[in-house]
Amino acid sequence: MRATIDGNEAAASVAYRLNEVCCIFPITPSSPMAELADDWSSQHRPNIWGSVPAVVEMQSEGGAAGALHGALQGGALATTFTASQGLLLMIPNMYKIAGELTSAVMHVAARSLAAQGLSIFGDHSDVMAVRQTGFALLASASVQEAHDLALVAQAVTMATRVPFVHFFDGFRTSHELNTIELLDDDDLRALVPAELVRAHRGRALSPEHPFIRGTAQNPDVYFQARETVNPFYAAVPGAVADAMDALAARTGRRYHTVEYSGHPGADRAIVVMGSAAETVKETVAHLCAQGERAGVVQLRLYRPFPERALLAALPASVRRVAVLDRTKEPGSAGEPLFLDVSAVLAEAYATGERTVLPVVTGGRYGLSSKEFTPGMAAGVFAELARDQPRRRFTIGIRDDVSGLSLPYDPGLDIEPPGTVRAVFFGLGSDGTVGANKNTIKILGEEGLHAQGYFVYDSKKSGSQTVSHLRFGPEPIRAPYLVAQAGFVGCHQFGLLDRVDVLGCAATGAALLLNCPRPPGEVWDALPRTVQEKILAKQIDVYAIDATRIAREAGLAGRTNTVLQTCFFAISGVLPRDEAIAKIKSAIAKTYGRRGAEVVQRNHAAVDRALAGLHRIETPGRVTSGRDLPPAVPAGAPEFVRTVTAAMMAGRGDDLPVSALPVDGTYPSGTTAYEKRNISDLVAQWDPDLCIQCGNCSFVCPHSVIRSAYYESSLRDGAPAEFRSAPLDARGLPGTLFTLQVYAEDCTGCALCVEACPVSAPGDGDRKAINLTERAPVVAAERRNVAFFETLPVAVPAAAVRVLSRLRRLRRDPLSQADVAAFRRPADGRQRNRLLVHLRRQPANHAMDGRPGRPGPRLVELAVRRQRGIRAWHAAGRRPARRTGPAPAHRAARADRCRVRRRDRQRAPAARVRAGGAARPGRRTESPARGPGRPCGRRPAQRRGPPAAAQRVDRRR
């Protein structure tokens, strides 16, 4: 049975049907495996033995590993799905599971480990970190292999008792849609017979046949006990080969633990694991067709390392070998796969099994899903052909620090001409990815082989997504991005200003634009650079206002259905009527659970799409006078202009090693320079209705709504569109209030509108803040933001005195004149409150009295001042007190305090004379102050031992 699914579903389908317990905790990119298992269990879908697997979500990956261990020891067939740090949390239990020879398979979407920075994307860092645990490691290179080898791993672990980690590249394989042949339940039963399951249950902990497992062992026996497992691991490579042969007998798909492809008398070879093997195979076929003697060795079984199979697969004619690792092991003589291959070849040469020892080089590639293309594979072969190839290298980056990177041709295209390629640019949550997944599945059902891969931004919702689609009559083995697309869809018109949308377009390609302008204005609305590329590549341009059509159909913001219909109409891959029927069927399947109304709205959008599609006539010359706007302002910091701007524009792959921080330390506040303009609707403030509650600013998840109050005189010179209202607060006459929306950062989530408690009289839908079209207001709001940022930040009135001192302190930060003022407790508390309030203000803020002139930041000044105070205490001196007459308000306050102290001192004496008693523990007479007691504080504790009289009194 043929189906179009991704790698996660391919592996989970087998794992679910072959197990009774799934212990899960979701982590990207393995989460879909756990989610699918949970969904199938909730639908009571049975496994191959007729029972419904129990899916248990634990509190962490460590808990999932513990639950897995316990279920296995109880005799259940159990599995789990994980990646990255989640796999590392399972290491303690992995040692126990392997040490106890417990049959199990863990399915891993291999992902980067957090080092100098966190990355959710794929490489082999995590699986290489568990290669010493005793788990066997089996690698899949494609979606089909992820499906088939999941069964092989389960069959072998049941037969050998050695637990397996079955892994495949995160995102590149786990999230790639591809057309595969599915295994049915009979295939699974054939490779995992019931007697193996009964043997597994017989080894379980049970009160019916009690025994102890997992004892403490001392130095006298621990070493010997560890060596007892050697025969089990020695049997694994043969058992894997037998299981692969059994699978081939049933399906016709033949695999080997180590597989060679290429020229039979190759002189150069690459050794590689994972999805890159598919790329190298296709590149080797291309090079051999040109007369070169090249080959590739693909390892599927990595642990236990298949030494004999590697020596048998590698032709004896090979003189130079490049071993590619998708991980980095700092400080090592080489990466893990390189060291293993080098050791096997060196030992074979030393024992005389091989007469020639090839030159073995080691390279790193593809960390964190970095692209590995046919041009890069050809670049490695070109390096091997040199007289003195580099012994260590990297490929795919520009290393100007260590000088390890290899040059390569990025334009090498080896895909067959019958393959149709398309690229779609959209935003997260706009439906682009979902529509393209449906497109791939529709084409797969029509007998075509299809592939879909989706590049996600880590910002997720509202961030850029790029969909790469391929389909054709032959199986597609191209695990890399589309570089020459015959169709390009730009589902957000604003992306033309920020991303090189046409960089991947082939000559004569078709471009579909989602543009809000009438057809006659589309060409002139394009930036000059885009027009130049359209003319140079002879691109056919189509446009549709999909946003308006979706809104009219009741699908505001969901343009995917409209644009999917346009793709089928333009590409012609299916007859128009048949394509529309297939689209509607896919809509019913995808959105049926959301109700009939949602399905009907999507069907209505499909029907309206073709009427709104227009072909744009190109005049044959550039007419636009608008250039692409800069990614960041010219006044941005250097790091933002050189590094952040390149990342924002999608050119991060071109950055050299020297441009990036060595320890992952980046300057803060760089988000302020990223004006994404991702929403067609943005918030707009209505000062006439606003009650200045601040709810909108509080709930805004992206902090795009800022408020300020200021003196009315500061509004002079404001743009005509700048909004303000009188401040609704006592004690601040002549003060204005402004709520400024940063429209270019607004995502149109409408949370501010929902949080606003005010509605207009007679119009309940209109509030003090509302959503409006971004395009008409963005230019004015840009000017408003520029003026708003010149307004001083309001400072609490209680901090005015401290503020005046800070002005002097900033002008003369090394002066000691104000040290005494900051030593008083009250002023210290005010200072601390002020520093918290102004912590994030720029150094040249208006508070220093000289705007435009930089000065030290407040936090830095506070540290300096504290150091100065400590210096006074260390010297044993007190700062000089203020000299001269005190201010009038302080003198009056001092007089009031003296009167209150005098009254309190007289009161106890008066009570004693009236026959009352003074409070115990209080003095009724003071030699310095006369009769009475001090104000309501306890007397200071006397240092040292108490006097004899006091001791006697205390005993009484």
Side-chain angles (χ1 to χ4, degrees), residues 24-171:
I24 64 172
F25 187 82
I27 180 172
T28 305
S30 68
S31 298
M33 289 189 282
E35 293 167 0
L36 286 168
D38 198 13
D39 186 30
W40 294 333
S41 179
S42 67
Q43 297 173 11
H44 302 285
R45 183 183 298 186
N47 58 21
I48 62 173
W49 296 289
S51 62
V52 177
V55 179
V56 183
E57 181 172 354
M58 303 301 294
Q59 89 291 351
S60 71
E61 292 86 355
L68 173 68
H69 187 196
L72 293 170
Q73 289 301 315
L77 297 174
T79 187
T80 189
F81 317 100
T82 190
S84 190
Q85 257 75 14
L87 181 60
L88 267 59
L89 287 172
M90 297 183 176
I91 287 178
N93 281 286
M94 293 177 70
Y95 273 102
K96 289 294 294 178
I97 293 171
E100 295 165 354
L101 290 176
T102 309
S103 300
V105 180
M106 298 169 59
H107 300 273
V108 175
R111 171 187 145 180
S112 302
L113 296 176
Q116 80 284 350
L118 180 143
S119 175
I120 64 171
F121 298 99
D123 60 35
H124 298 165
S125 301
D126 51 1
V127 293
M128 289 302 174
V130 301
R131 66 186 188 274
Q132 76 283 1
T133 60
F135 269 65
L137 300 180
L138 189 65
S140 294
S142 64
V143 178
Q144 183 71 67
E145 287 191 17
H147 189 61
D148 293 339
L149 297 191
L151 172 58
V152 170
Q154 189 75 34
V156 177
T157 191
M158 299 299 294
T160 65
R161 298 183 59 184
V162 174
F164 268 70
V165 166
H166 168 233
F167 71 93
F168 41 88
D169 291 350
F171 281 105

Side-chain angles (χ1 to χ4, degrees), residues 606-829:
V606 171
D607 295 333
R608 299 180 185 182
L610 297 183
L613 179 63
H614 303 277
R615 180 166 182 169
I616 306 303
E617 297 296 331
T618 56
R621 59 186 177 86
V622 175
T623 61
S624 176
R626 182 172 69 91
D627 292 326
L628 292 175
V632 298
E638 181 182 1
F639 184 88
V640 174
R641 287 185 281 107
T642 57
V643 178
T644 308
M647 296 165 64
M648 292 178 183
R651 300 191 303 271
D653 288 325
D654 299 332
L655 290 172
V657 173
S658 61
L660 300 175
V662 297
D663 59 354
T665 301
Y666 283 74
S668 60
T670 57
T671 306
Y673 300 98
E674 185 179 16
K675 304 301 180 183
R676 296 197 290 165
N677 289 288
I678 63 174
S679 177
D680 294 327
L681 298 175
V682 297
Q684 189 175 52
W685 178 53
D686 186 346
D688 296 331
L689 294 178
C690 183
I691 62 173
Q692 304 175 14
C693 64
N695 285 358
C696 55
S697 181
F698 179 77
V699 302
C700 180
H702 292 83
S703 300
V704 302
I705 303 176
R706 308 291 180 91
S707 61
Y709 64 91
Y710 48 92
E711 295 181 3
S712 57
S713 60
L714 296 175
R715 198 185 185 283
D716 298 340
E721 307 89 350
F722 189 78
R723 295 178 177 85
S724 63
L727 179 66
D728 187 11
R730 295 181 179 179
L732 293 171
T735 303
L736 298 179
F737 173 84
T738 291
L739 196 71
Q740 180 60 52
V741 177
Y742 285 60
E744 294 182 290
D745 300 314
C746 182
T747 62
C749 65
L751 288 177
C752 55
V753 180
E754 295 178 12
C756 182
V758 179
S759 297
D763 186 2
D765 294 334
R766 179 166 181 79
K767 296 192 172 184
I769 192 164
N770 306 278
L771 294 184
T772 187
E773 293 285 342
R774 178 184 60 85
V777 303
V778 65
E781 292 299 335
R782 193 180 294 122
R783 294 189 295 269
N784 291 340
V785 167
F787 177 79
F788 180 80
E789 291 182 343
T790 65
L791 297 175
V793 176
V795 178
V800 172
R801 294 197 310 276
V802 180
L803 182 59
S804 64
R805 295 190 184 104
L806 283 174
R807 287 198 186 102
R808 296 195 303 273
L809 189 146
R810 297 187 65 164
R811 288 197 293 268
D812 186 12
L814 300 180
S815 171
Q816 298 292 331
D818 293 327
V819 173
F822 282 96
R823 290 187 69 248
R824 289 191 288 273
D827 288 341
R829 288 192 296 271

Side-chain angles (χ1 to χ4, degrees), residues 420-434:
V420 178
R421 293 170 282 185
V423 177
F424 299 84
F425 293 83
L427 296 179
S429 299
D430 71 352
T432 297
V433 172

Side-chain angles (χ1 to χ4, degrees), residues 372-673:
F372 184 73
T373 64
M376 297 175 189
V380 175
F381 281 112
E383 180 67 21
L384 290 177
R386 293 178 55 192
D387 294 336
Q388 295 292 331
R390 305 185 198 188
R391 306 306 295 267
R392 305 290 183 274
F393 63 86
T394 58
I395 188 71
I397 61 173
R398 182 156 58 96
D399 185 355
D400 58 346
V401 175
S402 304
L404 297 177
S405 54
L406 300 182
Y408 64 93
D409 178 13
L412 180 62
D413 186 7
I414 62 173
E415 294 189 56
T419 301
V420 178
R421 293 170 282 185
V423 177
F424 299 84
F425 293 83
L427 296 179
S429 299
D430 71 352
T432 297
V433 172
N436 287 325
K437 287 182 177 181
N438 281 339
T439 298
I440 288 293
K441 293 177 181 179
I442 289 172
L443 295 174
E445 292 173 357
E446 292 300 311
L448 295 173
H449 290 272
Q451 179 203 54
Y453 183 70
F454 310 97
V455 179
Y456 300 94
D457 192 312
S458 54
K459 297 187 186 70
K460 299 184 180 180
S461 179
S463 62
Q464 178 182 311
T465 60
V466 185
S467 305
H468 296 257
L469 274 60
R470 291 183 176 94
F471 47 92
E474 301 296 329
I476 297 174
R477 299 183 178 91
Y480 47 87
L481 302 182
V482 172
Q484 296 291 319
F487 183 94
V488 177
C490 182
H491 293 188
Q492 300 289 335
F493 193 75
L495 292 175
L496 292 171
D497 289 336
R498 304 197 303 273
V499 182
D500 186 9
V501 171
L502 298 180
C504 61
T507 301
L511 171 65
L512 173 63
L513 296 174
N514 176 16
C515 181
R517 297 176 179 268
E521 301 178 7
V522 172
W523 176 257
D524 292 331
L526 299 175
R528 172 180 291 272
T529 304
V530 175
Q531 289 184 351
E532 292 173 351
K533 289 186 177 181
I534 290 174
L535 296 177
K537 296 186 175 184
Q538 302 175 4
I539 295 174
D540 296 329
V541 182
Y542 297 82
I544 183 174
D545 189 357
T547 304
R548 176 184 57 81
I549 294 174
R551 190 185 305 119
E552 292 174 353
L555 299 171
R558 306 287 293 184
T559 60
N560 53 328
T561 302
V562 178
L563 295 167
Q564 181 187 19
T565 306
C566 294
F567 164 72
F568 279 101
I570 296 171
S571 63
V573 294
L574 290 178
R576 180 171 295 188
D577 294 338
E578 181 182 353
I580 291 177
K582 293 285 186 181
I583 291 172
K584 290 185 175 181
S585 175
I587 288 171
K589 185 183 300 183
T590 303
Y591 303 114
R593 67 180 65 182
R594 301 185 183 180
E597 184 179 356
V598 174
V599 174
Q600 292 173 1
R601 290 177 181 177
N602 279 274
H603 286 177
V606 171
D607 295 333
R608 299 180 185 182
L610 297 183
L613 179 63
H614 303 277
R615 180 166 182 169
I616 306 303
E617 297 296 331
T618 56
R621 59 186 177 86
V622 175
T623 61
S624 176
R626 182 172 69 91
D627 292 326
L628 292 175
V632 298
E638 181 182 1
F639 184 88
V640 174
R641 287 185 281 107
T642 57
V643 178
T644 308
M647 296 165 64
M648 292 178 183
R651 300 191 303 271
D653 288 325
D654 299 332
L655 290 172
V657 173
S658 61
L660 300 175
V662 297
D663 59 354
T665 301
Y666 283 74
S668 60
T670 57
T671 306
Y673 300 98

Side-chain angles (χ1 to χ4, degrees), residues 140-477:
S140 294
S142 64
V143 178
Q144 183 71 67
E145 287 191 17
H147 189 61
D148 293 339
L149 297 191
L151 172 58
V152 170
Q154 189 75 34
V156 177
T157 191
M158 299 299 294
T160 65
R161 298 183 59 184
V162 174
F164 268 70
V165 166
H166 168 233
F167 71 93
F168 41 88
D169 291 350
F171 281 105
R172 183 62 262 182
T173 302
S174 67
H175 284 63
E176 175 189 309
L177 283 172
N178 211 315
T179 304
I180 68 170
E181 296 292 335
L182 294 176
L183 297 167
D184 58 28
D185 289 353
D186 292 335
D187 296 329
L188 273 58
R189 293 190 189 96
L191 267 71
V192 185
E195 54 267 22
L196 293 180
V197 178
R198 284 193 290 268
H200 172 72
R201 298 202 196 283
R203 295 187 291 269
L205 295 171
S206 172
E208 297 179 359
H209 45 88
F211 58 85
I212 187 170
R213 178 178 292 151
T215 61
Q217 295 180 346
N218 292 331
D220 54 347
V221 297
Y222 182 87
F223 192 171
Q224 300 94 303
R226 287 305 294 143
E227 297 300 316
T228 59
V229 300
N230 292 346
F232 294 88
Y233 285 87
V236 170
V240 173
D242 293 342
M244 289 178 172
D245 291 340
L247 179 66
R250 293 193 61 87
T251 65
R253 296 187 293 275
R254 186 165 296 279
Y255 301 102
H256 301 281
T257 56
V258 181
E259 187 172 299
Y260 175 80
S261 299
H263 196 284
D267 58 357
R268 293 165 292 155
I270 289 177
V271 181
V272 68
M273 280 194 307
S275 63
E278 297 283 298
T279 304
V280 180
K281 284 181 182 179
E282 298 298 313
T283 306
V284 164
H286 172 76
L287 295 177
C288 290
Q290 295 182 337
E292 298 193 31
R293 297 166 55 194
V296 55
V297 176
Q298 177 187 357
L299 264 75
R300 291 191 175 93
L301 179 65
Y302 179 58
R303 285 288 184 272
F305 195 79
E307 303 176 11
R308 310 311 308 168
L310 174 63
L311 294 173
L314 187 67
S317 58
V318 172
R319 294 296 179 265
R320 292 179 177 180
V321 178
V323 183
L324 300 183
D325 277 274
R326 201 160 198 164
T327 186
K328 179 176 177 60
E329 192 168 317
S332 173
E335 272 59 51
L337 182 57
F338 165 76
L339 295 179
D340 290 331
V341 172
S342 299
V344 170
L345 293 177
E347 185 175 348
Y349 175 73
T351 59
E353 188 174 353
R354 289 229 166 191
T355 58
V356 177
L357 179 62
V359 174
V360 182
T361 66
R364 292 185 294 274
Y365 77 98
L367 267 66
S368 187
S369 291
K370 179 73 75 175
E371 274 291 278
F372 184 73
T373 64
M376 297 175 189
V380 175
F381 281 112
E383 180 67 21
L384 290 177
R386 293 178 55 192
D387 294 336
Q388 295 292 331
R390 305 185 198 188
R391 306 306 295 267
R392 305 290 183 274
F393 63 86
T394 58
I395 188 71
I397 61 173
R398 182 156 58 96
D399 185 355
D400 58 346
V401 175
S402 304
L404 297 177
S405 54
L406 300 182
Y408 64 93
D409 178 13
L412 180 62
D413 186 7
I414 62 173
E415 294 189 56
T419 301
V420 178
R421 293 170 282 185
V423 177
F424 299 84
F425 293 83
L427 296 179
S429 299
D430 71 352
T432 297
V433 172
N436 287 325
K437 287 182 177 181
N438 281 339
T439 298
I440 288 293
K441 293 177 181 179
I442 289 172
L443 295 174
E445 292 173 357
E446 292 300 311
L448 295 173
H449 290 272
Q451 179 203 54
Y453 183 70
F454 310 97
V455 179
Y456 300 94
D457 192 312
S458 54
K459 297 187 186 70
K460 299 184 180 180
S461 179
S463 62
Q464 178 182 311
T465 60
V466 185
S467 305
H468 296 257
L469 274 60
R470 291 183 176 94
F471 47 92
E474 301 296 329
I476 297 174
R477 299 183 178 91

